[in-house]
Every structure is written in C-alpha cells, then in structure tokens.
Amino acid sequence: MTTKQLSSLFVFNLLVVSAQANANQRWYVVNDSVMGGVSNSQLTQTQESLLFTGNVSLDNNGGFASIRTELNTQSQNTKAIALRVKGDGQTYQLRLRTTNSLDGAAYTHSFKTVKNEWVDINFAPSDFTLTYRGRVLEQQPTIDFDDIKQLGFMIAGKQEGKFELEVSKIEFKS
C-alpha cells in the first residue's frame, strides 16, 4: 500500500473488543489526511492483539492518527473499561463516542504507555472529557458507558514520528 492509501479511511475486519459489547468487527483508520495532513497508520492483528502503528507528521498542519470501531454497549450495565496495552513510551487517547457519526464530539482520556511493557489500565466514566477536534467543550456531561457507539485510539499532541501501540484486551466490566 502507498502512503496515500494508508492516510485514507480504511476498514479492517478485526475483532478485539469483547463479544458482550456487540462489536461489528470492523476497524477504521482515520488520519489527519481528512484535513490535508500526511500522517499514516495501519492496523494489523497478531495472534493475541491488535497492533496500531504508523508515523505522525506535523506537515501541512497535521499531527494525528487514529483507529476506531463501532459497537453497542446497551444493556451491558458497564461500570468500567479495562485495557491491556504495550506501547512505545508515548501518550495515546482512548476515545469513546455516543453517536455513529464519523465526526463530532468524543469523550477522551489520555494514557501514557511504557516502552515495550504491558500495562493494565482501568477507566471510569468520570475519567473522560468531552472534546471536539482537540478542544475541550464547555458542557461536560459524564458519559454513560452503556451509550457507547464507537471506541477508538488516537495519537496526537504534536508527537511527531513513528509510533506503535499494541492492545491485547478491551474489556467492559459491569
């Protein structure tokens, strides 16, 4: 694949999200090319995990790469989300949306990875901040985890260069 192709919106048929969240098994890559940037990323599935890799470029006012999937957490009585990740020492965002829109507000929480070490992270609804295109919104309703329609990961914040995030678990806890 060319860099141009990797910068576009792509769909991958992978399942990592727990079955009870009714994930549709498709992951989308959305990079800063949607606004003229040239960052690129790709998504692969290893034997036991999801691997999100690429290169973030600040050229053309860019600077982010992301992946997301649609899911339905209704009636799950979810109280927490647990991740198991291995990264490169950079900071990533867990991003949740309560609509099916590809654009719009997202509930975000940043987490720091430890280079080449597995880390377990638990998130409560109160951990998330409602943002739109990187800006914190004035009104901050607390997310209800039973309303999640999309889940994703993003690297941004002027972290230029190669990145690698491996996710071995995404669990919705009741």
Side-chain angles (χ1 to χ4, degrees):
M1 288 185 178
T2 67
T3 301
K4 182 73 172 162
Q5 289 172 314
L6 290 174
S7 297
S8 300
L9 179 66
F10 269 67
V11 177
F12 296 84
N13 292 317
L14 302 174
L15 176 61
V16 173
V17 179
S18 58
Q20 71 240 33
N22 301 316
N24 74 1
Q25 301 182 22
R26 297 187 311 173
W27 286 84
Y28 302 85
V29 172
V30 182
N31 298 323
D32 57 19
S33 59
V34 298
M35 50 175 267
V38 295
S39 298
N40 63 77
S41 67
Q42 57 200 12
L43 189 63
T44 54
Q45 188 171 19
T46 68
Q47 193 82 7
E48 300 175 358
S49 64
L50 182 71
L51 189 60
F52 173 44
T53 60
N55 185 64
V56 173
S57 172
L58 303 180
D59 292 348
N60 297 344
N61 295 314
F64 74 87
S66 70
I67 56 174
R68 68 177 79 157
T69 189
E70 295 175 341
L71 51 90
N72 181 354
T73 58
Q74 273 189 323
S75 303
Q76 299 298 322
N77 197 27
T78 302
K79 302 292 184 218
I81 298 173
L83 298 180
R84 182 164 178 78
V85 298
K86 180 167 61 171
D88 49 16
Q90 297 189 82
T91 300
Y92 294 84
Q93 292 177 11
L94 175 61
R95 300 175 61 83
L96 307 173
R97 292 178 188 259
T98 56
T99 70
N100 290 319
S101 172
L102 288 179
D103 193 17
Y107 287 89
T108 64
H109 186 76
S110 295
F111 60 93
K112 179 100 170 125
T113 61
V114 178
K115 188 171 184 164
N116 297 322
E117 286 187 28
W118 287 105
V119 177
D120 293 304
I121 308 168
N122 291 295
F123 301 92
S126 60
D127 293 333
F128 289 85
T129 302
L130 189 59
T131 63
Y132 179 69
R133 295 185 179 175
R135 292 181 175 84
V136 175
L137 297 179
E138 191 172 312
Q139 294 184 1
Q140 287 293 315
T142 301
I143 189 170
D144 181 340
F145 283 165
D146 287 342
D147 292 337
I148 298 170
K149 302 277 191 277
Q150 294 181 53
L151 177 146
F153 297 95
M154 176 181 275
I155 183 167
K158 303 199 183 301
Q159 297 180 96
E160 188 171 25
K162 294 190 181 305
F163 67 89
E164 181 174 307
L165 178 68
E166 189 170 0
V167 181
S168 69
K169 177 178 79 172
I170 303 170
E171 182 181 358
F172 296 86
K173 296 180 167 188
S174 50

